[in-house]
Amino acid sequence: MTTIAFESISTTTRLPSGTTYSYVHVKPSDNHPYILFCHGFPSSSYDWRHQISFFSKQGYGIIAPDLLGYGGTDKPKEVEAYRMKAMCTDVVSILDAVGAEKVLVVGHDWGSFLVSRLANYFPERFLKFVFLDVAYQAPAGHFDLDAINDMTEKMLGYPIFGYWYFFNAADAAELIDRNVQSVFFYSSILLLVPFTAFKKLTRRVPLKDESSASLWFCADPKLMKENFCLRDGTRAWFTEGRTSPYGPWISKEEVVIHKKIFSSESGGYGPPLNWYKAQLADVNAGDESSIAPDRQHIQQPTLLITCTLDSVAVCAIQEQGMRPFVQNLKVEELEAGHWLQLEKREEVNQILKAFFEVE
């Protein structure tokens, strides 16, 4: 099964681990290197569509996998299968499969966490690192969700990871999946009203009529802070059937494709949620404890693009946590929400291009 959105330029490969991955593959031209794009949640290779189009025309090679649990890639149910070291090994096996010895790499959201571990486990395979919205995460061993939320609530006035409790719940995937056929609420009215009015358009409807996953790509980024970040906010959003208009940076046709990628026939939301469950189960703690101190630092040129409107990946926190571990760090800031590669596609592409071209 090829990636759902890129059938003509994607391939499927069974890797040495026995896991089958689907990925976009475009060969480079004019001596350009490959760019490896690693997506986050809830996403797939499709959310790199604007970068794939732009950089392939520039001559760069493209490798954009559907990561484990997503799209055309295997979707194991076992949480232990989502060990970061194992997934990094699989991604490097994809590089081997296409003959890419050293590549540029870009991560977003959970993809940034994966890129962090690629930097730790396989630094020799990468020319430069880029982190979109979510910064490099140094190995930390035990993941204490309560401590993080308590700390950020004191610092910011709200917990940044309140949604993790719902994502770790046994019924989370079922609650999302059972509405997937009507999961996306798209309204052309968002093009006719001022930004400040978006919140007033948020409404509640019975689950049988419309779903609530419009929270993912909502027009008003404040909804993420007011719902997603709160400890019970995400569950309430889903169980009460709330919806919100989409941002003007995603079209009705794109929503349809995204809906297909996450349909129950394609595996639904259960496997992607295992990334959260694996982290909360500390499946990575043992591997991370064995990472040597010198491998916890990035030596290659590295770019971080932060987003001023993201309530989870707060700009100052991202940069401050990353600087001690990166010798050569460049930071850019955009007035955007979480999905900057979609919302600010032209700006992101130009920033990446300039960074890649600097010797």
Side-chain angles (χ1 to χ4, degrees):
M1 180 181 181
T2 56
T3 60
I4 293 172
F6 298 105
E7 292 186 3
S8 65
I9 56 171
S10 67
T11 187
T12 299
T13 301
R14 185 176 176 85
L15 302 177
S17 66
T19 305
T20 297
Y21 269 74
S22 181
Y23 52 94
V24 173
H25 178 216
V26 179
K27 292 183 178 180
S29 61
D30 301 324
N31 295 317
H32 283 84
Y34 274 102
I35 308 172
L36 170 65
F37 290 102
C38 299
H39 68 79
F41 173 94
S43 192
S44 70
S45 58
Y46 182 58
D47 282 341
W48 296 114
R49 54 193 176 274
H50 303 300
Q51 288 68 48
I52 291 170
S53 174
F54 178 82
F55 283 103
S56 61
K57 291 176 182 177
Q58 300 291 319
Y60 287 90
I62 304 293
I63 304 169
D66 288 339
L67 294 174
L68 192 68
Y70 291 89
T73 293
D74 282 352
K75 302 174 178 66
K77 295 180 180 180
E78 301 80 11
V79 170
E80 292 74 16
Y82 295 81
R83 277 179 56 224
M84 200 61 61
K85 188 174 184 178
M87 293 191 291
C88 286
T89 301
D90 281 343
V91 169
V92 170
S93 293
I94 294 174
L95 302 186
D96 293 338
V98 303
E101 182 179 351
K102 289 191 174 186
V103 302
L104 305 162
V105 60
V106 182
H108 174 251
D109 189 77
W110 269 110
S112 290
F113 196 100
L114 182 73
V115 171
S116 299
R117 294 299 163 265
L118 285 169
N120 301 144
Y121 296 127
F122 302 99
E124 68 282 355
R125 301 300 297 266
F126 301 98
L127 300 167
K128 295 182 178 182
F129 292 93
V130 178
F131 297 86
L132 300 186
D133 195 35
V134 176
Y136 168 75
Q137 307 292 311
H142 172 64
F143 184 83
D144 192 333
L145 178 61
D146 291 332
I148 293 172
N149 280 327
D150 289 344
M151 178 185 66
T152 54
E153 190 161 18
K154 291 178 181 177
M155 291 173 55
L156 305 171
Y158 63 92
I160 61 171
F161 286 162
Y163 59 97
W164 282 56
Y165 299 105
F166 172 64
F167 285 175
N168 193 45
D171 63 339
E174 180 184 0
L175 183 56
I176 302 172
D177 284 345
R178 74 167 121 126
N179 308 296
V180 76
Q181 297 307 317
S182 59
V183 75
F184 298 100
F185 170 67
Y186 182 94
S187 176
S188 60
I189 196 171
L190 63 87
L191 301 177
L192 306 176
V193 297
F195 179 82
T196 54
F198 283 134
K199 186 176 179 182
K200 297 179 181 178
L201 292 173
T202 303
R203 59 195 181 93
R204 299 182 183 186
V205 295
L207 280 172
K208 64 180 181 180
D209 295 327
E210 288 184 345
S211 178
S212 45
S214 53
L215 180 62
W216 302 156
F217 301 118
C218 59
D220 185 351
K222 292 194 298 295
L223 291 177
M224 301 297 286
K225 177 180 176 180
E226 296 168 356
N227 296 276
F228 204 53
C229 292
L230 302 184
R231 285 176 172 82
D232 297 318
T234 307
R235 175 175 291 278
W237 181 279
F238 279 89
T239 57
E240 295 175 13
R242 303 177 193 174
T243 61
S244 172
Y246 276 81
W249 34 268
I250 187 167
S251 71
K252 186 175 183 178
E253 292 73 24
E254 289 170 329
V255 167
V256 170
I257 294 173
H258 191 91
K259 174 176 147 182
K260 181 180 179 182
I261 291 170
F262 286 92
S263 68
S264 56
E265 293 80 8
S266 298
Y269 281 91
L273 289 175
N274 280 335
W275 286 62
Y276 292 91
K277 295 180 178 182
Q279 186 68 3
L280 289 169
D282 276 341
V283 302
N284 299 309
D287 292 330
E288 291 189 3
S289 66
S290 64
I291 297 174
D294 62 311
R295 289 229 169 189
Q296 297 181 23
H297 293 256
I298 296 179
Q299 306 301 324
Q300 294 93 324
T302 301
L303 171 67
L304 168 66
I305 307 180
T306 60
C307 302
T308 61
L309 302 180
D310 191 335
S311 299
V312 177
V314 179
C315 295
I317 294 177
Q318 298 304 307
E319 181 177 350
Q320 290 171 9
M322 182 174 180
R323 277 208 174 275
F325 297 95
V326 182
Q327 183 175 353
N328 185 358
L329 176 63
K330 179 179 178 61
V331 179
E332 298 279 357
E333 184 177 280
L334 292 177
E335 186 177 353
H338 182 67
W339 301 97
L340 71 164
Q341 75 270 42
L342 304 177
E343 182 180 352
K344 299 288 186 178
R345 64 198 70 165
E346 292 87 2
E347 293 93 326
V348 167
N349 288 344
Q350 291 302 324
I351 292 171
L352 293 181
K353 183 174 182 290
F355 177 69
F356 294 153
E357 291 178 349
V358 173
E359 293 294 334

